[in-house]
Structures are given as structure tokens and as C-alpha cells.
Amino acid sequence: MATIFISTGEVSGDMQGAMLVEALYRQAQSVGIPLEIMALGGAKMAQAGAVLLGDTTGIGSVGILESLPYIWPTLQIQRCAKAYLRNSPPDVIILIDYLGPNLGIGNFAKEQVPQVPRIYYIAPQEWVWSLGDRTTTEIVRLCDRLLAIFPTEARYYQEHGAVVDWVGHPFIDVLQNAPTREMARQTLGIESDELAIALLPASRQQELRYLLPVMFEAAQQIQTHHPSVQFYLPLSWEKYRPTLETEIQRYGLRAKLVEANQSRMAIAAADLAITKSGTVNLEIALLNVPQVVIYRVNPLTAWIARHLLKFSIPFMSAPNLVLMKSIVPELLQESATTENIVREALDLLENPKRREQMQQDYQQMRDALGEPGVCDRAAQIILGLVKS
């Protein structure tokens, strides 16, 4: 029996991990390798067949101050994972994104179980927001192999000495059978001529605080311009339902909550998405839906990052990062105002040339993300290390 350990965190990591778990079991079965997968992740990975040592989907954050409440639960889960690695070393260790915690696990594994191959799949985006080479050097040092999903990521880590395979982006696989706009609207009961806007404010608790008010204020103003608009809010977490229901009523929005398992359907049905920055931006782009991307963190976190850490990035959202080109508007921190969101949203709704240009850029972006079969290629490389 071969054993693989996977470590990831947050909602997006759980989704990426689940796709990899499915591919690993599929490929292992095809070559006759009995397989067990142990993991730090969430419900999607468990559903795909991984045995969870800890649930990490609810303890993620972006920012310095925002991460403080999650330090202790993260350390507890890390302690459990390290005990497992020491007492029952797997055949392969896979780290998915989740920079701080995975550096801890990777370094521990390198010291305590150096014979176990360590693979970074979807490495931290050092190629975008590195403040120097220190963390990049640490990532390269602790992993034996790096499976990159972006071409720029692959080049960056190769230049820093990593053994890299560019496998392509897993969303290429996921969206092979994505619903069309017409199919999605029929499934959700949306009329073909109804103006539908998807609102995606949060997958983390902090985002409800910093993004939801400005996003709902913008939606309120868009509703005055287009009184027949219907907003759709996919639920990333069931625990957010009471807050969202209360705020929908408070802002007087014509809005419906959509269950998590139909979030892709709601996005595909939309004429526009107003969304937080995150993995979902790429999903929206691959569904060919115009979008406005916003993000805010605690103002003190932003000040520290800019003035003390000298932090700056060319882009934040994945569609822009693929080609290092401004495809979708990004409204970050002070720029994420009601007025700016409304301006960008109305322009995309009412300016056909702007929509067409964005969708042409989406196609160019899609072409740069590789060929279908991404997760199976990654699984084959991983299982090759198991067999060796």
C-alpha cells in the first residue's frame, strides 16, 4: 500500500487538492498501485477520498493582523501533521500553496524524514509578490520537485534552481464540461433576457468585514441604474448565510443566495461578476464572464506592507497574472470604492466593445494555460516517485 500525504489550506486549496486526490486514485488504479491519501485540507478532499488529519479550510487569512487569530489553531494542526510524518512516514509528501504552514511542514519533513520525496504543487506566488529571494530559496531547498501551473511560475522557479515540471492549470480540466450561459440560466430558472450579476464577496471571514459593505453599496447603486437586475450570491461557506441574508435585506437588494454546489452555475449564468480577488477570478474568466475584481485588507496591514515592507505587485488577480497584462480591472485597497466599482461595472454592462475586448483577452489567457489532462499529468509524476 502506497501512502501520499497532502498539505493545503483554505477553500481554494481544498478544491485544488480534491482534484489532485481524484486524479491520484484514478492513475493509481490504472497502474495497479493500492493507494491511501492522508491530508490536511477540507470537505472536498475528504469527499474525494483523502483521510483528513486536520481541517484547514477555515483558518486562512490574507494580511499581517488578519492572520493573528489563526496562529494557535494552525500550530495545533501542524503538530498533529508532524507527529504523523514522524511516526508513519508516507511515500511522498505534496505541498499545495499555503505558504507559511507548508514551509513549516516542508522543513520539518526535510530534517526528520529526508528519504521521503517532497513535491510542491501550485507553489506560492513568489514570482508575483516576493520581497526578496529568501523565501524562494527556502521553497527550492525544501522541495525535490515543483509542479507549476502557470508558465511564468515555471520559469521563475527554474531560474532559481528548482526541478520544475509545467503541468498546466487544473481549471482547464474542471471547465472542460462547464455549463454554457444558456444551460446555466435554464438550470437556475433565469430568463434569457434577465440582467444577472454574480456577487462573490468572501471565502474568508475577514473578507465579509472589508469587502461586503462596499460591494453591497455598489450593488445598491447599480440597482438604481438597472431596477430589474437580479443579483446572485454563491455561498462559499454555509456559516455565512445568516450574515448575507441580513445584509441583503439591509441594502434592499434583489438578490438570491445560491448553494455552494451551484456556484459555477451562477457564475456561468451571469452577465457580470463583481468579485473578491482569488482563485475564483480565473474560474470566472474561463467561463467567459466579464468581471470587476476588488480587494481590501486592514488599513494598518496595508500601511505596513507599503511603507515598512516596500510591498508592491504588478497585478493581483490570476487572469492578469497569466499574461502579465491588464485584462480585468483590479480595485485594490483605497481604489476599491463604491464609485469605482459602479463605474467599472456599468461600463462592462453597457459598453459592448469593452466586453468584447475582455473576452478576447480571456481567450488569449486560456491558450496560455496548457492542455487538458493537467491533474492526471501531475498525478503520473507523483506516482512515478512512489514507484521509484
Side-chain angles (χ1 to χ4, degrees), residues 10 17 44 98 100 108 120 136 140 149 157 165 199 225 234 237 286 311 314 339 342 363:
E10 303 191 305
K44 287 186 172 65
Y98 206 38
F108 175 87
Y120 226 126
T136 299
V140 171
I149 63 173
Y157 281 106
D165 297 275
L199 301 178
H225 286 269
W237 281 81
L286 290 171
F311 178 77
E339 294 74 21
V342 171
Q363 184 58 53

Side-chain angles (χ1 to χ4, degrees), residues 98-382:
Y98 206 38
L99 176 59
N102 273 343
L103 287 184
I105 285 178
N107 282 315
F108 175 87
K110 184 175 176 64
E111 293 171 7
Q112 298 294 320
V113 286
Q115 75 279 11
V116 180
R118 297 168 302 279
I119 299 175
Y120 226 126
Y121 171 60
I122 313 179
Q125 291 184 335
E126 285 290 294
W127 45 284
V128 180
W129 31 56
S130 175
L131 294 172
D133 286 346
R134 186 183 63 81
T135 303
T136 299
T137 301
E138 187 175 358
I139 291 167
V140 171
R141 183 185 61 80
L142 69 83
C143 71
D144 300 297
R145 198 87 166 254
L146 195 147
L147 307 184
I149 63 173
F150 292 108
T152 312
E153 172 196 2
R155 287 192 295 271
Y156 175 85
Y157 281 106
Q158 277 178 330
E159 288 167 0
H160 283 80
V163 178
V164 179
D165 297 275
W166 177 53
V167 293
H169 201 288
F171 274 4
I172 293 293
D173 289 352
V174 175
L175 296 173
Q176 282 293 292
N177 300 310
T180 63
R181 181 179 187 274
E182 293 72 23
M183 183 191 310
R185 286 189 164 228
Q186 187 174 12
T187 301
L188 296 176
I190 302 172
E191 296 296 328
S192 60
D193 60 348
E194 179 181 304
L195 178 59
I197 297 177
L199 301 178
L200 298 106
S203 60
R204 303 180 181 100
Q205 187 68 42
Q206 72 183 76
E207 291 162 346
L208 286 179
R209 178 179 178 184
Y210 293 116
L211 299 181
L212 190 146
V214 71
M215 187 179 288
F216 275 24
E217 285 169 12
Q220 195 178 48
Q221 291 195 20
I222 291 167
Q223 190 169 281
T224 65
H225 286 269
H226 295 276
S228 63
V229 67
Q230 181 73 53
F231 297 102
Y232 293 86
L233 282 85
L235 272 173
S236 58
W237 281 81
E238 180 60 31
K239 66 181 181 181
Y240 294 163
R241 183 187 294 274
T243 299
L244 291 172
E245 287 177 340
T246 299
E247 295 304 296
I248 285 169
Q249 285 190 342
R250 191 161 78 87
Y251 284 91
L253 299 181
R254 299 182 72 247
K256 296 179 182 177
L257 295 180
V258 179
E259 301 300 327
N261 62 1
Q262 287 197 307
S263 63
R264 187 165 297 140
M265 203 70 70
I267 294 168
D271 297 293
L272 174 73
I274 303 175
T275 171
K276 73 178 211 85
S277 176
T279 306
V280 72
N281 304 145
L282 193 60
E283 183 176 359
I284 294 166
L286 290 171
L287 289 167
N288 213 31
V289 175
Q291 63 185 301
V292 178
V293 177
I294 70 171
Y295 211 76
R296 282 177 167 179
V297 293
N298 185 301
L300 182 55
T301 293
W303 188 92
I304 292 170
R306 287 172 183 161
H307 297 282
L308 298 185
L309 301 179
K310 307 300 181 186
F311 178 77
S312 67
I313 53 176
F315 300 108
M316 188 167 188
S317 64
N320 293 345
L321 290 170
V322 173
L323 299 174
M324 286 297 176
K325 170 183 177 179
S326 182
I327 295 175
V328 303
E330 296 181 351
L331 302 174
L332 309 180
Q333 208 58 27
E334 296 88 356
S335 296
T337 64
T338 302
E339 294 74 21
N340 287 344
I341 297 169
V342 171
R343 185 191 69 248
E344 294 287 354
L346 292 179
D347 191 36
L348 283 167
L349 288 172
E350 298 168 2
N351 184 343
K353 288 186 178 179
R354 176 96 186 276
R355 292 174 65 86
E356 288 166 12
Q357 182 60 58
M358 186 177 289
Q359 289 168 333
Q360 286 173 15
D361 289 340
Y362 280 170
Q363 184 58 53
Q364 187 183 5
M365 179 211 71
R366 179 192 292 264
D367 293 341
L369 289 176
E371 299 297 322
V374 172
C375 295
D376 285 317
R377 284 195 291 276
Q380 286 166 1
I381 293 168
I382 293 163

Side-chain angles (χ1 to χ4, degrees), residues 1-5 20-29 32-38 49 91 382-383 386:
M1 171 75 73
T3 305
I4 292 174
F5 171 75
L20 182 61
V21 168
E22 290 172 355
L24 283 166
Y25 279 125
R26 188 165 56 242
Q27 292 299 316
Q29 185 176 23
I33 299 177
L35 182 64
E36 180 180 54
I37 298 175
M38 309 296 289
D91 294 287
I382 293 163
L383 290 172
V386 169

